Amino acid sequence: MIQLEALQNNDLYGDDGGIRIAFTFASPSNRTYTGPVQRFIHLVKQPLYRPIIGFQRASLGPMLILGAHAQVKVDLVDADGCDQRYVWSLSRQVAAPFTGCWMTDGVMLG
């Protein structure tokens, strides 16, 4: 998942580039709720989501697809060696310019 790789390597991209990449894969409705990007960066750095930045390793569970919606569980070991589980909620977009793309609607503790 491109978003996970970007968040894991956030510091390599400079200026929170990994978080910025993750924001580009947020669905339009997610961007409306969490954006603009500076607000999104602040949100991702809060304690709930902080373990996603610079994590050591991650494994993805099977994707559960129900029509135009999907969920995938992500188990990761954060930078401090602690286990974390998140659930990514996705939707397939119907409007241009993202028609047919799976984009993130939200991420929550799993």
Side-chain angles (χ1 to χ4, degrees):
M1 182 183 283
I2 293 170
Q3 293 167 306
L4 282 174
E5 182 180 337
L7 293 166
Q8 182 180 31
N9 298 300
N10 185 56
D11 294 338
L12 295 179
Y13 297 108
D15 194 29
D16 291 314
I19 298 172
R20 292 173 188 277
I21 290 169
F23 186 73
T24 65
F25 289 92
S27 67
S29 62
N30 186 350
R31 289 183 195 188
T32 298
Y33 182 73
T34 62
V37 71
Q38 285 305 123
R39 183 171 183 266
F40 184 78
I41 289 168
H42 178 74
L43 176 72
V44 173
K45 289 185 172 184
Q46 296 303 306
L48 179 66
Y49 298 108
R50 180 71 181 103
I52 298 173
I53 301 172
F55 64 88
Q56 294 179 31
R57 63 185 173 279
S59 62
L60 280 65
M63 185 174 286
L64 173 62
I65 300 173
L66 298 169
H69 298 278
Q71 286 190 336
V72 63
K73 291 180 183 174
V74 177
D75 291 313
L76 59 85
V77 177
D78 68 18
D80 296 326
C82 297
D83 294 330
Q84 305 287 339
R85 174 176 277 176
Y86 293 91
V87 178
W88 251 255
S89 295
L90 310 161
S91 61
R92 189 176 319 193
Q93 303 305 298
V94 295
F98 306 113
T99 307
C101 296
W102 286 99
M103 299 184 86
T104 303
D105 287 327
V107 176
M108 63 191 104
L109 280 175

